[in-house]
Amino acid sequence: MLEFQFASLAAFCEMAPHGVYVWPTYGLGLLVLGGLTLANVRQHRRAIRMIQRNLERE
Amino acid sequence: MGWRWFHQWGSPRWFYERAGRWQLVCGWLALTLLIMGSLWGLALAPVDYQQGNSYRIIYLHVPVAFLAQALYAAMAVCAVVLFVWKMKLADVAMQSIAVMGLAFTALSLISGAVWGKPTWGTYWVWDARLTSMLILAFLYLGVIGLRAAIQDPDQAGKACGILVLVGVVNLPIIKYSVEWWNTLHQPASLKLTEKPAMPASMWIPLLVNIVGYYIAAVYLILGSMRAIVLERERRSAWVRELVSRA
C-alpha cells in the first residue's frame, strides 16, 4: 500500500501534468501556517516589551 | 463531579500558564502529523484515475475547509459562553479564532480555486458551496473589523458575539449547499456515518492531515490567546510579576 507513486524524484517534482497547481498550493499552505506562527511569537514579544516599558516608566 | 474544570477557565492566569505547555505539545504533534500526512498524500497515495495528480490538493483543501467551518462554530460557542457566563477568556478566544478562521477560509477558497482550474476548467463559479464559503470569509472579516472599530474591549466583545451568533445561520447553508442546490462542487468526500467512497490508501493520509490541521489550529489559537491575555491583563499583578522576572 505504501509505494512511491512516481517513476523518479524528478517525476514527483513535475507531478505531470498538475505540478504547477499542486506545489504552489502546498507552498501557500506552508506560508500561512508559518506566517501565523511567526505573527503569534511577535505579538507575544511585543506585549511583553510594552508591559516592561510601562513598568520602567512607573 | 465538581465544576472546577469549568471555573478555572475564568482565570486568565491559570490559562496563560497551562496554555504554554499545551501549545508545545500541540505544535510538535501537528508538525509531525502534517509532514506525515502531506508526504503520504503527495507521494504515496495512488493517483486518481479521473483527476490525475491535481486531486492531491485535497490533502490540504479538505482539512482547511473543515477547519474554516469548525472554527466558526467554535467562535459561536465562545460567544454563548461570553454572554451566559461573562467569561473573559471566551472573548479572547473569539478574537483569536476570527483571525485563524479567516486565514483557513482564505486558504480553502484559494486551494479550491487552484484545484478547480485543471478539474472544472475554471478558477471560480458562483455555485452555492463556493459562494457560501465566500460569505463565511466575509463574516470572519466583519467580526475582525467590528472589533477593530470599537474602542472599549467589553463593548467590542459583545458586539462581535452578536454578529458571530447571527452568522451561524451560514453554517448549515454551507454544509447542505451541495445537496439543496445543483452545485458544481462535489458532495462530501468524507462522512462520519458512511464508508468513504475512496480506497483506504487515499483516505487514511487525508484523515492524518485533518487531525494534523485541527491540532495546528489549536496550537495557533493558544499562541494568539496567550499574547492577547498578556495585553489585556497588563495591569494585573501576576502579569507585572511575570514580566519583571523575564
Side-chain angles (χ1 to χ4, degrees), chain A residues 1-6 12 15-16 18 21-22 25-26 28 37 40 43-44 47-48 50-52 55 58, chain B residues 16 40 42-46 51 53-54 56 59-60 111 114 118 219-220 224 230-231 234 239-240 243:
Chain A
M1 194 167 106
L2 290 179
E3 207 178 310
F4 191 51
Q5 298 291 317
F6 298 87
F12 175 58
M15 208 168 270
H18 297 128
Y21 300 106
V22 175
T25 307
Y26 279 85
L28 183 69
T37 302
N40 279 345
Q43 194 186 355
H44 195 257
I48 289 182
M50 175 195 72
I51 299 162
Q52 272 171 342
L55 282 177
E58 280 166 20
Chain B
Y16 182 87
W40 193 344
L42 283 167
L44 307 178
Q51 300 179 10
N53 281 320
S54 71
R56 296 186 193 278
Y59 295 106
L60 183 144
S111 61
V114 172
Y219 161 79
L220 289 171
S224 155
L230 272 193
E231 281 167 14
R234 59 183 176 274
V239 170
R240 289 157 165 261
V243 168

Side-chain angles (χ1 to χ4, degrees), chain B residues 84-121:
Chain B
V84 176
W85 288 283
K86 314 267 181 281
M87 196 180 276
K88 281 191 222 170
L89 213 53
D91 187 39
V92 174
M94 240 175 20
Q95 187 178 348
S96 298
I97 294 172
V99 176
M100 306 306 160
L102 178 65
F104 285 115
T105 309
L107 200 53
S108 108
L109 284 168
I110 294 169
S111 61
V114 172
W115 173 86
K117 187 62 184 168
T119 315
W120 297 339

